[in-house]
Amino acid sequence: DDYEQSAFTPSARDAASGGNSQAISGTFKYTKIGRLVHFQIDAANIVTSGLTGTNRLYITGLPFTASYTSVAPVWHQNIDTPPSANIIARIIAGSSYIILDGMTDNGNDETVLVNDLTSGVSDIRLAGSYMTS
């Protein structure tokens, strides 16, 4: 009996909380059925000026706090990643933000930092689901 769908407003940040923030332009939607939240992010020309370049990139402002850690594949362009790396989005249990990691075959995960994006040019598109309380 619990169903809702709406838009949400994420930000690009250089810290999980506090830190510096930039609004993200694009389309951001979610549908919540019971405890399951499905979201869609279509972020274009992400601006990172004013963010600390050597810090991890956080996309904050998901509509609900995650109960379990979830992952989703990411389509991206103009993000500096290791050769042959696939970027995944991780939503950590107890948070309402996304972090991005470069996953390589037979290698270590690579954290996506703020300065890995080309400010005003980089795009990120993803859709995923996570559980909330």
Side-chain angles (χ1 to χ4, degrees):
D1 291 342
D2 181 17
Y3 176 89
E4 65 181 270
Q5 71 184 78
S6 189
F8 64 101
T9 307
S11 297
R13 300 187 74 90
D14 59 12
S17 63
N20 302 301
S21 176
Q22 278 285 354
I24 301 176
S25 299
T27 303
F28 314 100
K29 299 178 183 179
Y30 76 89
T31 301
K32 180 177 176 278
I33 304 169
R35 295 178 48 220
L36 180 65
V37 180
H38 179 75
F39 65 93
Q40 175 187 347
I41 292 177
D42 186 356
N45 304 320
I46 300 168
V47 175
T48 59
S49 61
L51 304 182
T52 304
T54 55
N55 286 6
R56 176 189 286 274
L57 175 70
Y58 294 83
I59 299 173
T60 62
L62 290 175
F64 301 95
T65 300
S67 294
Y68 304 97
T69 298
S70 300
V71 297
V74 176
W75 177 92
H76 63 90
Q77 64 183 14
N78 297 309
I79 297 179
D80 186 22
T81 60
S84 303
N86 295 309
I87 292 183
I88 62 155
R90 287 194 302 147
I91 304 167
I92 306 300
S95 76
S96 58
Y97 59 78
I98 294 170
I99 56 176
L100 302 174
D101 288 322
M103 306 292 292
T104 58
D105 183 27
N106 203 24
N108 294 326
D109 299 351
E110 300 250 349
T111 300
V112 175
L113 304 175
V114 170
N115 61 7
D116 290 334
L117 278 71
T118 303
S119 186
V121 178
S122 294
D123 302 329
I124 295 173
R125 291 178 178 84
L126 70 128
S129 299
Y130 64 97
M131 297 295 288
T132 189
S133 299

